[in-house]
Amino acid sequence: MTLYHKYNHYHIHQMEHNYLFITIKLLGALGLLIYGMKAMSDALQKMAGPQLRHVLSRITTNRFTGMLSGAFVTCAVQSSSATTVMTVSFVSAGLLTLAQAISVIMGANIGTTLTAWIMSLGYSVDLTTVVYPAFFIGILLIYTSRHRIVGDFLYGIAFMFLSLVMLSTAGKEMDLEHNASVVNFFSSFDTGSYLTIIIFLLIGTIITCIVQSSAAVMAITILLCSTGVLPIYLGIALVMGENIGTTATANLAALGANLQARRAALAHLLFNVFGVIWVLCVFYPFVDTICSIVGYDPTQSGQRTLLPVVLSMFHTCFNVTNTAILIGFIPQMEKVVCRLLPEKTGEDADDEFRLQYIQANLVQTPEISVLQAQKETARFAQYVQQMFGSVRNMLNEKNGKEIKRYYDKINHQEEITDKMETEIANYLEHVSNDHLSDDTKGKVRQMLREISELESIGDACHNLARTLYRRHESGYNFTPAIYAKLNDMMTLTDQALSQMNTVMTGHSSDHDISGTYRIESDINEMRHQLKKDNIRAVDEHEYDYAIGTIYNDLVNECEKLGDYVVNVVQARFGV
């Protein structure tokens, strides 16, 4: 081998080694970017959890207020995915209507454009002067319990800016503009062809779905465009694909959620797909207009420093214009998603076990998690009262088949109450693993008490049904007097359950615990009186001892149920 060939072979090998190292560095920088944005977003959500909840949950029917709130929250947490998933959680928890959620999602699409501007800044300004002081201050704050979350935020933003510096450096080191194979590859695509634009749009969508971060794909797009190898038309096609791909996060999160949450996530997808369709119809004039606003000429080489600005400007104009077009059609969008995802019908639909407000796969702040658990616990309380209603119907039913049907139904409902207690308890245990305030920890402990007592109410209803079914199977018949007295006792017990549900569905400060104590006292007094009457009636042979025993068991079980109701209300009041 000649000296020339040896040198050429060594040079090629060295270039391959450099490209491999730079590629690893590039992937590491992208990972750092995703981590930095997540850490910053999580810290901001923890710092402003109650405030964000207040902002989103207080939205009126005004769609413009909802849109501005979505934009504000997304700018604050620097993640449209976080805002969208949070919005889906709020819909799932019943805090937002579908129409309100759609307006918030529109605002989130506008707010996320700030991220692109921050990235374009990172490619044109040296951020190292900000990064290292942020790391130093952040690490000091992390080791102080009082300002730990602020330290997490500074650490996240420092990692984000450091990754942008690393990406910019890696882009320069790759020197792609002088790599003939890369330049020829991108030059082989006809930028004037709609087919090429659609191909790159699909590539952007697929990559964003895989990476689950539109920010990372935007960073790659800016990197390729700023080096001069990726034409601006293809870069913008990738950005359009990112807008569709970023909707995957909320749709994946909503897969196990309730119907309204899935509809909100679908509305996000339809919103962005519609935007891409109308932009494709006027693609070249629209992009040329954006370029002229920035002062960039796509037909001339050079001006690479303007390319990140062009991408950011397109991202902003696309989302703002799309929102301006569709904000007046929110009711129509709501109808479309409701038609695409209709409600399931069926007479046994209400008896299926499913949590309505708690969705374990949705990511949210502890504040939202606790709020969802409270609403689910209140629903649990309503469910056990419905179960008691089945017991009352079973008591007064004369048809043997119907009595058996009620008994089977109550058996099934009792299984559901067991599952509800387990699922809510597991969720609360998961929430308690997070950093919670003392007040929030107290709410979690209260709810654990509540669900335990509510499950006991379900057991009491099941015991009542089992006793009634034993009476039916044995062929014993109650006298009219027993029926009347049991109905009086169950009416009083039902009043206690109604009072409990009134307390559970509102703020404890708006209610008085004395009402529950008064009904409990009435139940105890009635049990005492009925017990005396039962002993007298058996002694006087008004009915058999066996019937008296069943009657007494039913009265005692109603009294126990009343005690469980008091325990639930006491837990709610923190007594």
Side-chain angles (χ1 to χ4, degrees):
M1 186 181 286
T2 63
L3 185 63
Y4 171 76
H5 285 100
K6 285 182 179 179
Y7 172 77
N8 195 39
H9 178 75
Y10 171 78
H11 183 64
I12 293 170
H13 177 74
Q14 191 68 23
M15 284 180 64
E16 288 175 350
H17 179 268
N18 287 342
Y19 275 124
L20 179 62
F21 178 75
I22 294 169
T23 302
I24 293 171
K25 191 176 177 181
L26 189 68
L27 292 172
L30 285 172
L32 204 60
L33 174 68
I34 295 170
Y35 171 77
M37 293 200 70
K38 186 179 185 306
M40 183 182 68
S41 178
D42 288 348
L44 279 166
Q45 288 182 63
K46 286 178 183 177
M47 281 193 289
Q51 287 75 17
L52 292 181
R53 178 161 69 91
H54 177 78
V55 168
L56 287 178
S57 63
R58 295 283 179 175
I59 293 171
T60 63
T61 52
N62 188 329
R63 64 194 71 177
F64 297 101
T65 308
M67 182 266 293
L68 291 173
S69 299
F72 165 75
V73 172
T74 305
C75 287
V77 301
Q78 276 303 291
S79 172
S80 62
S81 293
T83 305
T84 306
V85 171
M86 197 186 305
T87 304
V88 169
S89 299
F90 273 58
V91 174
S92 173
L95 297 174
L96 290 180
T97 65
L98 181 58
Q100 290 170 335
I102 293 171
S103 65
V104 174
I105 288 167
M106 288 180 174
N109 276 268
I110 294 175
T112 193
T113 60
L114 180 63
T115 307
W117 285 106
I118 292 173
M119 287 185 182
S120 64
L121 179 72
Y123 279 86
S124 54
V125 178
D126 184 9
L127 297 171
T128 50
T129 52
V130 179
V131 169
Y132 299 114
F135 272 126
F136 179 71
I137 298 170
I139 196 67
L140 292 177
L141 293 174
I142 283 173
Y143 284 99
T144 63
S145 57
R146 188 176 178 183
H147 301 292
R148 181 178 177 180
I149 298 176
V150 179
D152 288 338
F153 166 72
L154 284 175
Y155 234 57
I157 201 168
F159 272 125
M160 187 180 78
F161 284 154
L162 178 63
S163 68
L164 291 175
V165 172
M166 290 171 64
L167 284 169
S168 180
T169 305
K172 291 172 184 175
E173 289 176 355
M174 290 180 83
D175 195 25
L176 293 176
E177 63 267 33
H178 295 116
N179 188 314
S181 58
V182 175
V183 173
N184 291 335
F185 172 75
F186 285 109
S187 299
S188 65
F189 292 98
D190 181 11
T191 56
S193 168
Y194 267 100
L195 180 61
T196 303
I197 301 302
I198 292 171
I199 289 171
F200 273 77
L201 187 152
L202 293 174
I203 291 171
T205 303
I206 293 167
I207 294 174
T208 309
C209 287
I210 294 170
V211 178
Q212 285 289 293
S213 172
S214 59
V217 185
M218 175 64 84
I220 296 171
T221 307
I222 293 175
L223 173 67
L224 291 172
C225 286
S226 62
T227 56
V229 298
L230 184 67
I232 190 63
Y233 292 112
L234 303 186
I236 285 176
L238 286 176
V239 172
M240 289 165 63
E242 292 157 21
N243 273 271
I244 296 176
T246 193
T247 64
T249 306
N251 277 280
L252 286 172
L255 281 178
N258 62 20
L259 182 63
Q260 288 296 89
R262 295 200 303 275
R263 285 172 173 173
L266 179 61
H268 187 205
L269 174 63
L270 293 179
F271 172 76
N272 283 3
V273 168
F274 175 82
V276 167
I277 289 171
W278 73 256
V279 167
L280 281 175
C281 295
V282 292
F283 181 75
Y284 292 102
F286 189 78
V287 174
D288 291 340
T289 303
I290 300 297
C291 290
S292 62
I293 292 172
V294 177
Y296 174 77
D297 187 355
T299 60
Q300 295 182 1
S301 59
Q303 299 179 297
R304 290 178 190 168
T305 54
L306 290 176
L307 286 169
V309 180
V310 174
L311 290 171
S312 301
M313 180 64 76
F314 170 81
H315 197 216
T316 302
C317 291
F318 168 76
N319 283 298
V320 170
T321 308
N322 199 29
T323 300
I325 293 171
L326 287 178
I327 197 166
F329 297 96
I330 288 178
Q332 287 75 16
M333 286 183 68
E334 187 177 10
K335 288 179 182 177
V336 170
V337 294
C338 288
R339 187 168 293 179
L340 291 173
L341 290 175
E343 290 190 26
K344 292 181 179 178
T345 56
E347 59 179 16
D348 295 328
D350 292 335
D351 286 334
E352 292 179 8
F353 169 67
R354 60 183 182 277
L355 295 180
Q356 182 174 329
Y357 299 109
I358 289 176
Q359 312 298 336
N361 59 325
L362 292 182
V363 182
Q364 57 257 320
T365 62
E367 285 285 334
I368 300 172
S369 300
V370 170
L371 190 66
Q372 287 178 322
Q374 284 178 332
K375 292 180 79 68
E376 199 67 68
T377 304
R379 178 172 170 257
F380 192 179
Q382 292 169 352
Y383 189 82
V384 293
Q385 185 171 13
Q386 292 171 7
M387 189 176 176
F388 185 71
S390 298
V391 173
R392 295 185 69 184
N393 291 335
M394 185 178 176
L395 168 67
N396 295 297
E397 184 57 59
K398 305 299 182 185
N399 186 293
K401 288 184 179 179
E402 285 299 302
I403 291 174
K404 179 67 166 64
R405 188 179 69 84
Y406 276 121
Y407 182 58
D408 291 341
K409 180 180 181 180
I410 293 166
N411 279 333
H412 179 61
Q413 288 175 324
E414 197 272 334
E415 290 175 3
I416 289 178
T417 59
D418 290 343
K419 291 178 182 177
M420 289 181 83
E421 181 198 19
T422 303
E423 292 293 331
I424 298 172
N426 288 341
Y427 184 74
L428 288 171
E429 286 177 8
H430 175 72
V431 171
S432 62
N433 290 331
D434 212 327
H435 300 292
L436 303 176
S437 64
D438 291 338
D439 182 54
T440 305
K441 287 178 182 176
K443 289 178 181 177
V444 170
R445 285 193 296 270
Q446 286 177 17
M447 277 186 282
L448 286 170
R449 280 180 61 196
E450 289 166 10
I451 61 172
S452 175
E453 298 297 337
L454 287 169
E455 195 275 334
S456 295
I457 293 174
D459 287 343
C461 290
H462 183 244
N463 290 337
L464 286 166
R466 192 164 51 196
T467 304
L468 286 170
Y469 192 67
R470 189 175 80 234
R471 179 202 65 82
H472 167 69
E473 288 284 279
S474 302
Y476 295 122
N477 290 317
F478 286 153
T479 64
I482 290 178
Y483 275 116
K485 290 172 182 177
L486 281 175
N487 274 305
D488 288 343
M489 185 65 165
M490 288 193 176
T491 298
L492 202 55
T493 308
D494 194 54
Q495 287 176 10
L497 287 165
S498 296
Q499 177 71 15
M500 177 190 75
N501 274 302
T502 301
V503 172
M504 292 292 288
T505 53
H507 293 286
S508 56
S509 57
D510 298 333
H511 302 287
D512 187 0
I513 198 171
S514 61
T516 299
Y517 287 150
R518 186 176 61 254
I519 296 175
E520 186 213 14
S521 177
D522 291 342
I523 291 174
N524 290 339
E525 186 177 335
M526 182 176 283
R527 183 201 64 162
H528 181 69
Q529 184 61 46
L530 294 181
K531 195 172 181 180
K532 285 174 59 179
D533 291 345
N534 182 49
I535 294 171
R536 179 194 56 77
V538 171
D539 287 342
E540 295 178 3
H541 304 290
E542 291 182 12
Y543 45 77
D544 293 341
Y545 177 79
I547 293 175
T549 302
I550 294 172
Y551 171 37
N552 193 54
D553 288 345
L554 292 170
V555 171
N556 286 335
E557 202 63 51
C558 284
E559 192 274 333
K560 285 182 186 177
L561 196 153
D563 289 342
Y564 297 141
V565 168
V566 172
N567 293 340
V568 172
V569 175
Q570 285 180 336
R572 179 72 170 147
F573 278 95
V575 177

